[in-house]
Amino acid sequence: MKQEPAKASRKEERDRPRKGIPGLIDSTVTSTIEDFKAIIDAKLELFRIEMTEKVALVSALVLLLVVLMIGVAYLITTIALLFGELFGHVWLGYLLVSMVFILTFAFFTKIKPNALKNFIHKILLSAND
């Protein structure tokens, strides 16, 4: 029965915060490890944000390329119908549709070049959260 109080007192000594230089060293090491963990977490978050921005840029470029290809396809069809009908009104619809695509392409490349990229970037960030 005398051994139980001795074990209990040793356990109390381990659980108590250390005083003096050993306690200072212990708290310094603990705070340094926590700081390293915080730095690593921050760097991982920054890397994730940078990668989603690059993916958003590539997605915007691919989307703009598709819009340009569709606009060119409609413009070619419109020109073909224009020459086929020679001043008829059938081609007017095709011309307007192709101009919408081409004007959309011009808007996102000349007037607001970052608008589409920022929109896709926000979507990707909200999807990752």
Side-chain angles (χ1 to χ4, degrees):
M1 293 226 169
K2 289 185 179 180
Q3 290 181 358
E4 289 178 13
K7 287 182 181 178
S9 66
R10 278 188 258 154
K11 185 177 180 184
E12 288 175 6
E13 287 178 14
R14 284 187 303 213
D15 293 340
R16 260 190 324 191
R18 300 169 106 184
K19 293 183 180 178
I21 293 177
L24 182 62
I25 291 172
D26 186 42
S27 67
T28 303
V29 169
T30 303
S31 67
T32 302
I33 290 172
E34 290 172 359
D35 289 343
F36 277 132
K37 287 179 182 177
I39 289 170
I40 289 171
D41 287 342
K43 287 200 178 256
L44 286 173
E45 183 68 20
L46 183 62
F47 176 74
R48 185 179 66 85
I49 290 171
E50 288 174 354
M51 289 309 297
T52 56
E53 185 174 350
K54 289 179 182 179
V55 168
L57 177 64
V58 169
S59 299
L61 290 175
V62 167
L63 190 60
L64 285 175
L65 182 64
V66 168
V67 168
L68 178 64
M69 289 172 47
I70 291 171
V72 168
Y74 272 106
L75 185 62
I76 290 171
T77 304
T78 302
I79 290 172
L81 287 174
L82 174 66
F83 287 132
E85 292 291 324
L86 257 172
F87 303 113
H89 296 289
V90 177
W91 56 269
L92 189 57
Y94 290 107
L95 181 61
L96 290 175
V97 170
S98 66
M99 291 309 295
V100 166
F101 281 112
I102 291 174
L103 288 175
T104 302
F105 177 78
F107 176 77
F108 284 118
T109 56
K110 297 295 179 188
I111 297 172
K112 293 229 178 199
N114 290 327
L116 189 60
K117 181 187 73 96
N118 291 338
F119 179 70
I120 293 172
H121 187 230
K122 286 178 186 177
I123 290 172
L124 291 174
L125 282 178
S126 66
N128 285 335
D129 288 340

